[in-house]
Amino acid sequence: MLKGILSVLLVLVTLSSAMGKPEKTTPKKEERIPQTLSRGWGDQLIWAQTYEEALFWSRSKNKPLMVIFHLEDCPHSQALKKAFAEDKDIQKLADDDFVILNLVYETTDKHLSPDGQYVPRILFVDPSMTVRADITGRYANRLYAYEPADMKLLLSNMQRALKFLKTEL
Amino acid sequence: MLKGILSVLLVLVTLSSAMGKPEKTTPKKEERIPQTLSRGWGDQLIWAQTYEEALFWSRSKNKPLMVIFHLEDCPHSQALKKAFAEDKDIQKLADDDFVILNLVYETTDKHLSPDGQYVPRILFVDPSMTVRADITGRYANRLYAYEPADMKLLLSNMQRALKFLKTEL
C-alpha cells in the first residue's frame, strides 16, 4: 500500500519536476522569450527604458548618461554589442557610474544626432542635460561610431565623461 | 529494497523539483534578473520600448496603440497589471491587433495626459497619431484609470479603438 502511494507520489513529483524546470522545457511554438531592456548589451546592468527616464535618473543620481543607438539587424551593431557586453571594465564602469540606455529607435531630440542618425553610435549626456558632442570616437565621418576594436577608446571616453562631471562639482 | 530506492528517488526528485521552480530559487546577491519590456503586463506579448517606436509601429502596421502608464511601487498599478496579464481575451486582442507600450515615466507629449498625469492610466492612439481621448474608463475624476474589476470595459474599449480604425479605412 505504502509502495503504491509512493509510486503515485513519485509520478506526480516527477511531473511537477519536469514542469518546473525552465531549462528543460521545450518552448511551445508560440512561446516567446520575454524581450529584455538590455537587448544583449549587458543583462546584469540596469537599463533605462526611455530617454525621458534616463535623463531623470541622470539628474537625480548625478551620473552621466550613455546612450547607445543600434539595430538588431545591423552587423556592425551586433559586433559592437558583443565586444561591449564582454568587456568587464566597461560593464563595471557602466554599472557603477553611468545611467545607460540602448535604443533601436531615434528620439525626437536632435542633440542626440550631432552628425546625423546612424548606428551604431554612442553619445554621452551630462547630468546637466548637455549632450557631450565633444566626446567622439576615431572616425571623422561618423564621430560617435565605435567598432569592436575601439573598446579601450570607449572606456577612456567613459572616464572622460566622468572626469568632466567631477571637475564641475 | 524497491521501497528504499523509491524513497531515495522521491527525495531526489522532490529536491530537483524544488530547485527547478524559478520562484523558489534564491538568486545570488549580485545576480540580477534581466529587466523585461513587459514588466509583467504580458511576457508573451511584443512590447514597444519607447513612444517613438510605438508610433512608428502603429503607423506602419496600421494598428492602434495602447499606452499603459504605471509604477512598480503603486498598488493600484500592480493590481491592474495582475488582472491585465491574467485576462486571456485582453492578452490575445493586444497581441493580435494592437501595438502596446507600458511606461513608468511620462513622455514629453502632453496629449497623453488629457486630464493629468497619474497611474495607472491607459490611453489609445490611432495609427493617424491621434490620441483617442474619447475612449475612457468609468471614473469621472480620472478618465483613463482602470481597476481590476474593469477588464470587460477595457476589452470593449480596445474593441472600440479597433472599430474606429476600421470604419475609417
Side-chain angles (χ1 to χ4, degrees):
Chain A
M1 178 60 188
L2 179 62
K3 210 191 285 181
I5 291 172
L6 272 178
S7 303
V8 170
L9 261 176
L10 183 59
V11 169
L12 282 177
V13 172
T14 309
L15 274 176
S16 89
S17 168
M19 287 164 71
K21 277 179 197 166
E23 64 278 13
K24 282 201 179 173
T25 51
T26 34
K28 289 177 229 161
K29 259 185 195 171
E30 315 238 336
E31 202 169 300
R32 302 183 189 129
I33 296 159
Q35 308 150 273
T36 62
L37 277 178
S38 69
R39 280 204 174 87
W41 288 83
D43 286 346
Q44 290 300 302
L45 306 182
I46 308 283
W47 294 87
Q49 180 181 355
T50 64
Y51 189 44
E52 289 87 350
E53 177 177 349
L55 287 177
F56 172 83
W57 285 119
S58 175
R59 275 186 299 173
S60 58
K61 294 184 174 180
N62 202 36
K63 288 181 175 181
L65 162 63
M66 176 161 52
V67 188
I68 303 168
F69 290 92
H70 65 110
L71 282 174
E72 298 288 346
D73 55 0
C74 157
H76 298 285
S77 298
Q78 294 302 310
L80 180 63
K81 169 158 73 178
K82 192 169 180 292
F84 185 97
E86 287 172 358
D87 191 305
K88 285 182 186 170
D89 295 330
I90 285 178
Q91 291 283 310
K92 182 167 172 24
L93 195 59
D95 195 22
D96 290 345
D97 295 326
F98 283 81
V99 173
I100 46 175
L101 173 68
N102 77 79
L103 292 173
V104 290
Y105 280 80
E106 296 291 335
T107 70
T108 49
D109 188 343
K110 286 179 184 170
H111 296 103
L112 286 175
S113 47
D115 64 346
Q117 298 179 345
Y118 52 86
V119 293
R121 74 179 198 276
I122 300 180
L123 273 293
F124 294 94
V125 186
D126 217 59
S128 63
M129 294 181 69
T130 310
V131 173
R132 295 288 308 270
D134 59 311
I135 302 183
T136 61
R138 62 181 178 86
Y139 306 98
N141 57 337
R142 294 190 161 192
L143 289 173
Y144 309 97
Y146 294 84
E147 291 197 345
D150 302 333
M151 289 304 96
K152 276 191 184 163
L153 174 59
L154 180 58
L155 187 67
S156 85
N157 278 351
M158 289 170 73
Q159 284 156 346
R160 254 180 87 191
L162 280 173
K163 212 170 176 180
F164 184 87
L165 174 66
K166 279 179 188 159
T167 55
E168 273 192 334
L169 290 178
Chain B
M1 178 60 189
L2 180 63
K3 208 191 285 181
I5 291 171
L6 273 179
S7 302
V8 169
L9 261 176
L10 182 59
V11 169
L12 282 177
V13 172
T14 309
L15 275 176
S16 89
S17 168
M19 287 164 71
K21 281 178 194 164
E23 63 276 14
K24 283 199 180 171
T25 51
T26 34
K28 286 179 231 161
K29 259 185 195 171
E30 313 243 334
E31 201 170 299
R32 301 187 190 129
I33 296 159
Q35 308 151 273
T36 62
L37 276 178
S38 70
R39 280 204 173 86
W41 288 83
D43 286 345
Q44 290 299 303
L45 306 183
I46 308 283
W47 295 87
Q49 179 182 355
T50 65
Y51 190 42
E52 290 87 349
E53 177 178 349
L55 287 177
F56 172 83
W57 285 119
S58 174
R59 274 184 300 173
S60 59
K61 294 184 175 181
N62 202 37
K63 289 180 175 183
L65 161 63
M66 175 161 53
V67 188
I68 303 169
F69 291 92
H70 65 110
L71 282 174
E72 297 288 346
D73 56 0
C74 157
H76 298 286
S77 297
Q78 294 301 311
L80 180 61
K81 169 158 72 178
K82 190 169 181 294
F84 185 95
E86 287 174 357
D87 191 304
K88 285 181 184 168
D89 294 330
I90 285 179
Q91 292 281 312
K92 182 166 173 24
L93 196 59
D95 194 23
D96 290 345
D97 295 327
F98 284 81
V99 173
I100 47 175
L101 172 68
N102 76 81
L103 292 172
V104 289
Y105 282 80
E106 294 291 335
T107 70
T108 50
D109 188 343
K110 286 178 183 170
H111 296 103
L112 286 175
S113 46
D115 64 346
Q117 298 179 344
Y118 52 85
V119 292
R121 73 179 198 276
I122 300 179
L123 272 294
F124 294 93
V125 186
D126 217 59
S128 62
M129 295 180 67
T130 309
V131 173
R132 295 287 309 269
D134 59 310
I135 301 183
T136 62
R138 62 183 177 87
Y139 306 99
N141 55 338
R142 296 191 159 191
L143 289 173
Y144 308 98
Y146 294 85
E147 292 195 346
D150 302 332
M151 289 304 97
K152 276 193 183 164
L153 173 59
L154 180 58
L155 186 69
S156 86
N157 279 350
M158 290 170 73
Q159 284 157 345
R160 252 180 87 193
L162 280 172
K163 213 169 175 181
F164 184 85
L165 175 66
K166 279 179 187 159
T167 54
E168 274 191 335
L169 290 177

